[in-house]
Structure formats: C-alpha cells, structure tokens
C-alpha cells in the first residue's frame, strides 16, 4: 500500500493544477516509474473510472477527498488487471474484490461508448474528481536502436499480438491500441529490457527536428530522459543537464536502462552552462519546464489567476534559457526549443523575443516539413516564420500537445544551403533574415573580431608596462638610501 500513499499525494497536486510529472517527482520514492504510470492512468481515465465505480456500487458518500483518491487508484489497478496488493485489507479492498467483475464491465462500457462521456463528467464533478475525456488514446513506443532494436524486428516478434504498426512520421516509432496499453506497460519485458521506450509521438519531435549532428549535443533540461536517449542515437556525445536532484536521479537511471553509453549526465543549472564549459557542442536541445497544458494526462480544471501568474514565471525562465542557448555557445549551429504547452506565451512569444535578442545571428528553419500542423500567427513573426514552427494539437491530432522551433545560425547555414538535415531535421531553408542582411552581419562580425583583438593587444601592452614599473622602482630604491646616508654623515 506504500505506492498508494505517494500516488495519492501526487494526485492531490494534480487536482490543484500541477502537471502529472512534477507532482509524481515531488512525492514518489524509489518506484517513480510505477507511481507515474498509476497516476497518469487514473488522471486520463478518471471520468470513466468514477462512473464505473458508482454503477458497480464501489462508492461511499462518507469518504473524504483523500479516501476518494485512494479508492480511484485501487479501482484503476482492478480494472486494468493488475490486482490489489497481497497484504492490503480493509473495507475498500474487500469491496473491490467482491465487485471486481462488475467494475471491469462497467469500466469497459464507460470507456468505449462516447455517449457515456458526459455522464462520466457529471459524476466526476459531483464526486469531487476532475475528470478528463475518457475516449481511448493513441499509444506509442519507440524502438531503442542503442540496444539493436528495430521496428521490423519488434513487429516480427510481437507485432501481431500487440497490434503494432510503424508510424509514418517518426522512424522507429510503433503505435498500438489503447487497450493493449494494459499489457504493454512499464513492467513488460520489452520495456524492462530497454528494447522499447514508452514515449508519445509528439515527444519524439524535438530530437527528430534536431536531426543527425556531426559533433556533441547539449540537452539543457534533460530529465526524465526520453529525449536524451533519442538524441544519443544520432550524436557522438550527449551532455545531459538537470539541476533538480530527484529528477537527475531519474534521468541517470533511465539513461543507464536504455544503454546510452555516450550520454554524460551532469547535475547542473542550464543557465550556468556556456561554450567554455562545452566547447565541442554543435547543437542544443532546450525543453524547459513548462505548464504541461498540452499533455493529455493534465487536469482540465485549474485556477485561472494562479495559472496566469505561473505562466508568466515559466515564460520568463524559458525566455532566459533560450536566449542563453543562442548567445553563450559560439560553436553551436542549431538549437531546438520545445514545450509540451499549448499557450502562446510559452511558445510563439518566447521564440519572437529570442529572435529579436539574437539580432540576426540565428534564423528559423522549417521544422519537420512532413508534419501538417504549423505555428500560430504572431505580430512579431512573419507568415513564413510562423509556418516554420511546429505544433501538435491534443484534440485534433490525438497526441500530446507540443510546440517545436528550430533555430539555425545564419553564417553557417546560408539560404538554400541544406545545412539542416532535410530527412530527419528541418527543411533545409532558412526563413529569415534575407541575404543582404547576412552580408551585413558577416561584415559586422569581422569588425567585432578585429576590434576585440585590437583591444586585447592594448590590454596586454598596458599589462606589460605595469609589470615592468615595480622592477625599475626596486632598482632605484638602494641608490636613494645611500644618498640619504651620505647626506646625514
């Protein structure tokens, strides 16, 4: 029952508007993955689960909010075939065991019949649950090439049993029905062996947009590590940073389980990183902390005033981190910025501010041209720049809501120059600035380099003069002392 305690505490934070991942990382102990799977499943299917519990008679009006959350967690384990802990007892557990078959039947009915959705929402509201849409969701698993797993081998091995098919946008990504998610979960042999990594399709877009890198990559906000292990498949070395100790431990464990030997995990703040510390880095992936509003497992009801304040704080950090990624690493050619948010203030607003701060040094490249949904219109962005951005809509695309932007250094990727990998990364066309501005920027940069060298020469000359003066004074002091003695005599 220990996992129910940490899961209940995390679920309480989700009800207050926090994202599932942040809530779990704050409360989970050693079983982070199991707790995350439990809380995520309950949050996604709480409407259908609550309606099934009510119809099966597994409810009690005397329960307080904490007892309701524990009941939903235990009921979720029952309907998904995981069962209850062997040592569990009490009135609730006995009730769930007696009503198990009825509860499963009512849950399947509520989950698979769209007409039951509104009833499930009303029940959730009256019972104190913040329910989301109970319709089945698309599920995905990425083949881990670091351990030799490929889509063809996995499909040939268990494709028919798990009803898998390869995705048409992300290579090596397998899609399977929501009903199979009860079998293919974190405890499945393919997942525990590292051959498959449970990862949503939209979460694969940032690393895919960065493409193959001829050098090292810096993952500035790496935890929990799914994108990091994906980067490891296409880079020489990946430096993964995270400043939170609990999240860092999850990152290190996930990297180890995936067999990513070319990943170096550093417990550090991304705002302290620069080109001097990572001189071999050629590309950066920045997926900073965000509101998580695009994640399907996020609670739908939040405090509007609290959300606006939180969005402003998040956007400030995101903007600072992106501007540092574009300015503090002179050897970096490409930067990918991504969030799992649907809010403009965390996406287009941050990109527009970073472009203005870059002063023409970086430009937007079209991100994953094969994907149909592009960025939204913004007063500070041109139509071509908005079209270069990528969005995923959780309601229209049936995957997590996501935003991705690809920045390319102008002087190292001229217009039409294919500096961006057209197959996996961007489209190979830099949108802004125009060609005449490139020449002006190159000339300005050369003048800045010459001015810096000139000032450095002046500083060295002045330093040498200062160093020589004490020696001359030391040589003159004995003479003055002898003259003074002679005068006294």
């Amino acid at each position: 029952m220990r996992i129910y305690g940490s899961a209940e505490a995390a679920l309480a934070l989700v009800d207050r508007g926090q994202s599932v991942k942040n809530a779990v990382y704050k409360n989970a102990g050693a079983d982070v993955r199991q707790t995350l799977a439990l809380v995520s499943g309950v949050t996604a299917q709480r409407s259908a689960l609550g309606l099934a519990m009510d119809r099966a008679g597994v409810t009690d009006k005397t329960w307080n909010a904490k007892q309701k959350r524990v009941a939903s967690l235990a009921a979720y384990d029952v309907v998904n075939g995981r069962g209850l802990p062997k040592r569990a007892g009490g009135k609730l557990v006995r009730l769930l065991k007696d009503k198990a078959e009825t509860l499963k039947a009512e849950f399947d009915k509520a989950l698979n019949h769209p007409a039951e959705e509104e009833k499930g929402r009303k029940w959730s509201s009256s019972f104190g649950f913040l329910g989301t849409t109970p319709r089945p969701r698309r599920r995905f698993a990425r083949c881990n090439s670091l351990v030799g797993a490929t889509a063809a081998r996995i499909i040939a091995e268990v494709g028919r049993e798990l009803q898998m098919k390869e995705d048409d946008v992300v290579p090596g990504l397998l899609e399977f029905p929501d009903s199979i998610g009860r079998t293919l979960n974190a405890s499945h042999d393919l997942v525990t062996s590292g051959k498959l990594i449970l990862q949503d399709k939209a979460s694969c877009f940032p690393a895919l947009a960065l493409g193959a890198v001829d050098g090292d990559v810096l993952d500035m906000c790496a935890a929990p590590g799914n994108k990091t292990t994906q980067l490891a498949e296409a880079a020489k070395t990946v430096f993964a940073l995270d400043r939170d100790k609990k999240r860092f431990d999850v990152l290190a464990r996930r990297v180890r389980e995936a067999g990513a030997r070319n990943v170096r995990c550093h417990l550090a703040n991304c705002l302290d990183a620069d080109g001097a510390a990572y001189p071999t880095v050629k590309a950066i992936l920045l997926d900073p902390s965000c509101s998580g509003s695009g994640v399907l497992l996020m609670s739908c009801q939040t405090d509007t005033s609290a959300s606006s304040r939180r969005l402003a704080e998040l956007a400030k950090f995101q903007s600072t981190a992106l501007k540092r990624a574009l300015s503090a690493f002179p050897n970096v050619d490409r930067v990918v910025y991504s969030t799992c948010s649907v809010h403009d203030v965390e996406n287009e607003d941050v990109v527009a501010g970073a472009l203005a701060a870059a002063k023409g040094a970086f430009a937007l490249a079209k991100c994953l041209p094969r994907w149909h949904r592009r960025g939204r219109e913004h007063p500070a962005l041109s139509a071509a720049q908005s079209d270069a951005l990528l969005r995923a809509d959780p309601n229209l695309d049936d995957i997590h809501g996501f935003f991705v932007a690809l920045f390319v250094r102008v002087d190292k990727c001229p217009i039409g120059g294919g500096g961006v990998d057209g197959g996996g990364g961007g489209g190979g066309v830099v949108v802004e600035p125009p060609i005449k501005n490139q020449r002006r920027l190159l000339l300005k940069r050369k003048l800045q380099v010459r001015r810096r060298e000139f000032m450095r020469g002046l500083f060295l000359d002045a330093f040498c003069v200062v160093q020589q003066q004490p020696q001359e004074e030391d040589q003159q002091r004995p003479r003055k002392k002898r003259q003074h003695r002679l005068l006294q005599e």
Side-chain angles (χ1 to χ4, degrees), residues 354-423:
L355 275 178
K359 298 180 180 180
F362 278 86
L364 287 173
K366 190 161 186 178
C367 182
L368 296 182
R370 290 175 291 176
W371 183 250
H372 58 283
R373 199 168 307 285
R374 314 311 302 179
R376 295 173 182 169
E377 294 182 359
H378 192 277
L381 299 175
S382 66
Q385 287 175 324
S386 297
D387 185 66
L389 306 175
L390 178 149
R391 272 185 176 270
D393 191 292
N395 296 318
L396 301 177
D397 301 319
D398 211 16
I399 57 177
H400 288 177
F402 241 82
F403 174 86
V404 185
L406 173 61
F407 295 84
V408 181
R409 190 176 293 277
V410 173
D411 59 343
K412 295 189 178 182
C413 183
I415 290 181
V420 181
D421 182 24

Side-chain angles (χ1 to χ4, degrees), residues 286-316:
L286 175 61
D287 186 71
S289 299
C290 68
S291 63
S293 55
V295 180
L296 296 173
L297 306 177
M298 182 69 180
S299 175
C300 293
Q301 301 180 14
T302 56
D303 184 7
T304 305
S305 61
S307 295
S308 60
R309 289 195 299 269
R310 183 165 179 254
L311 285 175
E313 294 174 357
L314 288 169
K316 182 179 179 180

Side-chain angles (χ1 to χ4, degrees), residues 2 38 45 51 107 138 152 213 248 266 283 292 299 305 312 359 370 381 387 407 424:
R2 181 180 300 176
L38 181 58
Q45 301 173 345
L51 186 61
F107 177 77
R138 300 169 65 187
V213 180
F248 177 80
H266 295 165
S299 175
S305 61
K359 298 180 180 180
R370 290 175 291 176
L381 299 175
D387 185 66
F407 295 84

Side-chain angles (χ1 to χ4, degrees), residues 313-344:
E313 294 174 357
L314 288 169
K316 182 179 179 180
F317 167 73
Q318 293 157 357
S319 179
T320 303
L322 181 55
K323 289 177 182 178
R324 184 166 188 83
L326 296 177
S327 62
F329 300 86
N331 296 328
V332 167
D333 303 335
R334 278 178 282 173
V335 175
V336 165
Y337 171 76
S338 64
T339 69
C340 54
S341 171
V342 297
H343 300 298
D344 292 0

Side-chain angles (χ1 to χ4, degrees), residues 461-480:
D461 293 342
F463 181 79
C464 293
V465 171
V466 171
Q467 290 291 324
Q468 292 175 359
Q469 286 180 355
Q471 297 179 0
E472 296 177 356
E473 293 179 357
D474 292 341
Q475 294 176 359
Q476 294 176 0
R477 283 177 183 174
R479 296 179 181 178
K480 290 182 179 180

Side-chain angles (χ1 to χ4, degrees), residues 33 185-196 257:
R33 179 175 293 180
N185 51 35
S187 59
H188 195 276
D189 292 341
L190 290 174
V191 178
T192 56
S193 63
K195 294 181 179 180
L196 287 181
E257 293 173 350

